[in-house]
Amino acid sequence: MSPEQTSSKIGKSVGEKLRSARIAQHLTQSQLAAPDFSVSYISAIERGQIHPSLRALEILATRLGLSSTQLLPNRSQAEDRANSLFPLPEREEEEIDLAFIEINVSLHEGNTAHALAQLNRIPLKRLKRPQFLRHRFLTGWSHFKNAQYQQAEYVFNEALQIAKELNDHYLTLRILYLLALAYNAMRNYSQALLSFQRCLNVLETSPIPVDPFFATQLHMQIGQYYTQQENLDLAIDAFRKALDAIGPEIDSPQNHGAYLGIIRHHSISKEYDLATLYAFKSLYLTNQAQLAQLRSEVYYYLGQAILKNDSEQARSFLDNVLQQEERLRALDPLSLASLYITNASWYFAQQDYEQAYAFAQKSKALADEFENNIIGAETYIVLGCIAYAQGKRARGDEDFIKGLHILEHLERHEELANESVHYAQLLEENGKEREAFAYFRRAFQSRQKVGK
């Protein structure tokens, strides 16, 4: 029997025990689920499609008047051996750590199915407490990337308690950050904000030097949260903090110095895997590509927030940046493109289509030099809007379709849903009801993927 078949059999056994116990107690799936779980979550466990977290198992067992171990499957020694990455006797601790690194790589590459399969094969009883923490973190991250947000929440909360117990600031930060994103995806906005705030507090009080890349991502996500809540003043403030975190120059002594401090800290603490990770991050700064794209996105979201908040403030911000030649020369092409497309959006709102088109073309010339990115997608969407406003519908259709294709490729489902609705409305206004329906449906499917 393959490890995958064994894993499936184990999951099914848990599900069968849960279903039998529920029926014995004369409970419906809805009665067992409320208030902590959804009916679909209980149904998926009973069908053997997902594995409940330890916390979820404890809650469900308590409701059924059982101990959590009574819901666990009876496994033979042969099954334990088949479900392990490591043949008996137990291998060295370093080999387990190597497995975690491989799982981390799988997650970064988007191969969540492979990551979960690897995690399910690791014998939990053999793990030391720090290794168990890493296992729970990677499991939660896998569920998050699979858009299984409720499962991710349970596992992350379990991991968070262990991270606090071990005083692991690195994983505490990452868990709180991903937990906030999971809550936001589930539309639990109060918990999302609380997790963001807790993450900021840990970041500000951590003995480890601040990782500029992580700090930028955190402030940018907080800015997007406040934009979503239409609290634009706080959104703008968060985006400005994101730009401050990344610094004016990506490959700067400030950023290299921050990473050097982090490397030293982890080396002294004998956390050599983390020290190595940050050494590679420091070397990667010379490439600049990833951080340059991150900064361009911050400029983009900052511009969008300012445009929504105050047209005069937006004009002042754009004029101030675009008139500073030294600052423009220091910007990477994508960040400059993001400023150009924000300028194009401002002129479009003023119905100055000639100026809007000129800035959009400048943005396109820069963004097209890079692989699919949010700036390029927005550029094509704005060009599509301009074309429709000028009565050039065929060109507008071409630009809109290109922009939506990039958003789909990037899996930016929130933006894809919003722009699909926008395009559908334009099609409907121009008598193309059938085409409009297709894009309204596309928007609906995208919103389903972000839990809305």
Side-chain angles (χ1 to χ4, degrees), residues 145 147 175 231 246 262 272 330 391 396 402-403 447:
K145 289 180 76 70
I175 292 166
N231 193 333
I246 207 167
I262 296 171
Y272 300 120
K402 281 184 181 177
R447 290 202 186 281

Side-chain angles (χ1 to χ4, degrees), residues 17 41 128 136 148 208 219 221 300:
K17 288 193 171 190
Y41 180 66
K128 294 182 179 180
R136 303 320 292 154
Q148 298 167 321
I208 305 172
H219 287 297
Q221 288 293 343
Y300 165 71

Side-chain angles (χ1 to χ4, degrees), residues 243-408:
L243 288 175
D244 289 341
I246 207 167
E249 296 180 22
I250 295 166
D251 188 22
S252 66
Q254 176 187 350
N255 285 337
H256 279 296
Y259 283 129
L260 184 59
I262 296 171
I263 293 164
R264 285 173 178 161
H265 174 88
H266 288 305
S267 296
I268 292 168
S269 303
K270 297 184 179 180
E271 297 169 330
Y272 300 120
D273 54 339
L274 291 176
T276 303
L277 168 66
Y278 280 101
F280 278 114
K281 278 193 174 187
S282 182
L283 289 172
Y284 190 72
L285 285 177
T286 56
N287 188 315
Q288 301 189 11
Q290 191 174 359
L291 286 175
Q293 184 157 330
L294 180 60
R295 184 169 66 179
S296 71
E297 290 189 18
V298 176
Y299 268 116
Y300 165 71
Y301 288 119
L302 173 61
Q304 294 297 306
I306 293 176
L307 282 173
K308 289 181 181 179
N309 193 42
D310 188 327
S311 178
E312 290 184 12
Q313 183 188 12
R315 186 68 265 152
S316 175
F317 164 74
L318 290 166
D319 287 341
N320 181 51
V321 175
L322 293 173
Q323 288 171 8
Q324 296 180 41
E325 292 186 11
E326 288 186 11
R327 189 170 182 177
L328 288 182
R329 282 199 297 270
L331 286 178
D332 57 276
L334 266 182
S335 293
L336 186 55
S338 71
L339 291 171
Y340 284 149
I341 199 56
T342 302
N343 217 28
S345 297
W346 189 90
Y347 279 113
F348 179 79
Q350 310 307 310
Q351 298 184 357
D352 187 341
Y353 303 132
E354 185 177 342
Q355 282 278 42
Y357 181 76
F359 276 104
Q361 284 296 321
K362 284 184 177 182
S363 177
K364 181 176 178 294
L366 293 170
D368 279 353
E369 293 297 317
F370 298 84
E371 209 169 336
N372 293 329
N373 57 82
I374 188 69
I375 313 304
E378 177 66 11
T379 297
Y380 280 109
I381 296 295
V382 172
L383 283 168
C385 291
I386 295 168
Y388 258 86
Q390 294 176 327
K392 301 172 182 177
R393 295 170 191 165
R395 194 184 77 194
D397 290 334
E398 184 179 336
D399 289 331
F400 260 111
I401 290 168
K402 281 184 181 177
L404 293 175
H405 176 75
I406 293 173
L407 290 175
E408 187 168 32

Side-chain angles (χ1 to χ4, degrees), residues 23 34 54 73 79-80 85 134 156 261 330 365 418 424:
I23 292 172
L54 293 177
E79 286 177 322
D80 276 334
L85 274 176
R134 289 180 69 185
F156 280 143
N418 293 338

